[in-house]
Amino acid sequence: MKIKFKPSHSTFFKELNSNISVILTDEVIDKSKWVLKAKFFFYFLTFLGLYAFLFTDVVANSFSLLITTYSLIGLSGILLAFNASHDAVHDTLFTNKKYNAITHFLIFNLQGVNATLWKKRHLSSHHLFPNVDGCDADIDNNSFIRLSNSHTLKKIHKFQHFYAPLLYCLYTLHWIFVKDFIYISKKEVANMKDLVYSKKFIAAVILLKLLYLVYIIVIPYYFLEVELAKILISFFIMHGVISIFFVLTLIISHLTTETSFPKHDENGFLPTCYHEHQLSVSLDYHPTSKFANFIFGGFNSHAAHHLFPKLPHTLYTIITPEIQKAAVKFSMPYNELSIINAIYSHFKYLKKLGGN
């Protein structure tokens, strides 16, 4: 069955787009693109600087500093992905699509995650039908965390709001060494059908992950006079830190008690039009804060991102007030919380989905 949005009978998006077009002058857009590129170089140089610092004597002589440096390398890599790679996927970082593709490929694989597999899920599944069960790969069924009412409720789910943080600590390791290979083995993922990956592509995925292990573990071990055990402990702690940061800053943008989870009818129609759907399934936290935008790369302004994915995230603080005003005027849903309340709401959602 083909899933479809109901046709819109509202001038909401037409008026919103018109108002935003007035605000986004050529000067404003040019400045936002400059800021975006500056952020890219800032986070990239930070990442490279921290990696270079890893090989200094001061780090080699302090186990606690080794752990800290590894964690900061991981965090800077995540922030690089937030603030540059995500825009590159949507072709908003550079005008040249080839440069966007290279940037996304490089940054994601530097984190050990396969860039091609994520891009396919993000653009061909999540952005088309966010929070629609069976159509959004981000809420695909799994054995441990129940994220949708349509997923089978198990006895263990009753406690998922308690054990979820422990699982979240393993998220990036699971993604790198398990999740990517699960997706390669599947012929169907959410709304994406007849998926086939060549042996050459699978070999490339494995090779890229081996290269990740070489630069993040083997090379530091080879050049630092530090026991392998300390390198591995630092590596695993790094992934625990970045996993929690990554999950709790992204999962709250869609999976809370405030966001909706629309279901299609017998004819395949979702209950609302495309733009109302995007607003109802998204949650913003500190969306007009320039500091939050600098850190989270616009993921905190998720309504703006889903309504205008082709705009640089450095414009989200400017256009979000217009979205808020238009939502009120046209009685459209708009969800906003502080980051702390959003995280709390996510765990309330897990508790609810656990049958409590």
Side-chain angles (χ1 to χ4, degrees):
M1 179 187 296
K2 185 177 181 180
I3 308 301
K4 306 172 284 289
F5 293 100
K6 284 188 175 179
S8 175
H9 301 293
S10 170
T11 59
F12 162 76
F13 189 73
K14 183 179 180 180
E15 183 171 319
L16 173 62
N17 197 40
S18 177
N19 291 340
I20 286 176
S21 297
V22 173
I23 297 172
L24 300 185
T25 62
D26 289 343
E27 183 181 357
V28 171
I29 293 174
D30 288 344
K31 181 181 178 181
S32 74
K33 290 180 177 179
W34 180 88
V35 172
L36 181 59
K37 290 180 177 63
K39 289 181 69 177
F40 165 48
F41 286 112
F42 171 80
Y43 281 114
F44 190 58
L45 290 174
T46 300
F47 177 80
L48 291 180
L50 286 166
Y51 185 70
F53 181 66
L54 181 64
F55 297 93
T56 61
D57 289 340
V58 66
V59 173
N61 294 328
S62 172
F63 185 31
S64 61
L65 190 56
L66 179 70
I67 293 171
T68 302
T69 305
Y70 257 97
S71 296
L72 290 175
I73 289 170
L75 285 172
S76 65
I78 293 296
L79 293 178
L80 181 60
F82 279 12
N83 288 277
S85 187
H86 185 227
D87 278 81
V89 164
H90 290 281
D91 288 324
T92 60
L93 180 59
F94 298 106
T95 304
N96 190 311
K97 290 187 176 182
K98 184 181 292 186
Y99 294 160
N100 285 316
I102 292 171
T103 302
H104 165 63
F105 179 86
L106 176 64
I107 293 173
F108 256 67
N109 286 296
L110 276 173
Q111 316 313 315
V113 172
N114 187 266
T116 304
L117 291 172
W118 181 82
K119 182 177 181 178
K120 182 186 289 289
R121 295 197 306 275
H122 188 66
L123 296 183
S124 301
S125 181
H126 173 68
H127 261 271
L128 293 181
F129 301 107
N131 280 23
V132 178
D133 191 49
C135 294
D136 182 359
D138 285 2
I139 57 170
D140 214 14
N141 198 2
N142 69 80
S143 302
F144 305 105
I145 304 288
R146 187 172 186 250
L147 297 175
S148 169
N149 266 318
S150 64
H151 296 170
T152 303
L153 177 61
K154 300 177 180 178
K155 289 183 179 179
I156 192 174
H157 291 147
K158 185 178 180 65
F159 308 100
Q160 67 176 6
H161 55 296
F162 291 119
Y163 65 71
L166 297 176
L167 292 183
Y168 289 167
C169 285
L170 302 173
Y171 186 81
T172 54
L173 284 172
H174 179 266
W175 190 352
I176 294 168
F177 299 113
V178 179
K179 188 176 178 179
D180 275 348
F181 293 105
I182 290 175
Y183 281 126
I184 286 176
S185 67
K186 287 186 175 183
K187 292 185 177 181
E188 181 177 319
V189 176
N191 61 311
M192 298 182 294
K193 315 295 181 184
D194 302 319
L195 298 173
V196 178
Y197 299 100
S198 67
K199 292 181 180 179
K200 183 178 179 181
F201 176 78
I202 295 172
V205 171
I206 296 171
L207 177 61
L208 286 167
K209 292 185 184 299
L210 289 175
L211 289 174
Y212 169 72
L213 292 176
V214 167
Y215 100 79
I216 203 69
I217 293 177
V218 177
I219 292 177
Y221 173 65
Y222 183 81
F223 285 99
L224 284 172
E225 294 182 3
V226 176
E227 297 93 328
L228 179 60
K230 289 184 177 180
I231 296 286
L232 291 176
I233 289 171
S234 301
F235 171 79
F236 287 118
I237 290 176
M238 174 191 76
H239 274 285
V241 170
I242 65 175
S243 290
I244 285 291
F245 179 83
F246 181 85
V247 174
L248 293 185
T249 55
L250 292 190
I251 204 166
I252 57 178
S253 61
H254 287 295
L255 301 177
T256 65
T257 55
E258 285 74 21
T259 53
S260 67
F261 299 82
K263 296 182 179 180
H264 60 79
D265 62 21
E266 63 276 6
N267 297 313
F269 280 101
L270 290 164
T272 63
C273 69
Y274 174 83
H275 299 110
E276 184 173 349
H277 176 91
Q278 301 300 331
L279 284 172
S280 70
V281 301
S282 302
L283 184 138
D284 287 355
Y285 55 96
H286 315 292
T288 58
S289 165
K290 291 183 179 180
F291 176 75
N293 184 273
F294 180 80
I295 298 298
F296 302 116
F299 278 103
N300 58 303
S301 308
H302 230 61
H305 176 59
H306 273 268
L307 289 175
F308 300 95
K310 290 299 182 180
L311 288 180
H313 78 259
T314 43
L315 288 171
Y316 293 171
T317 57
I318 299 173
I319 68 174
T320 292
E322 294 299 320
I323 295 172
Q324 294 168 333
K325 287 189 287 187
V328 172
K329 179 177 179 179
F330 289 90
S331 299
M332 289 286 187
Y334 177 75
N335 305 305
E336 181 183 356
L337 293 172
S338 69
I339 187 170
I340 297 300
N341 287 335
I343 292 172
Y344 176 67
S345 181
H346 169 66
F347 283 98
K348 280 176 60 181
Y349 176 73
L350 289 182
K351 183 177 181 180
K352 177 183 176 182
L353 266 288
N356 295 286

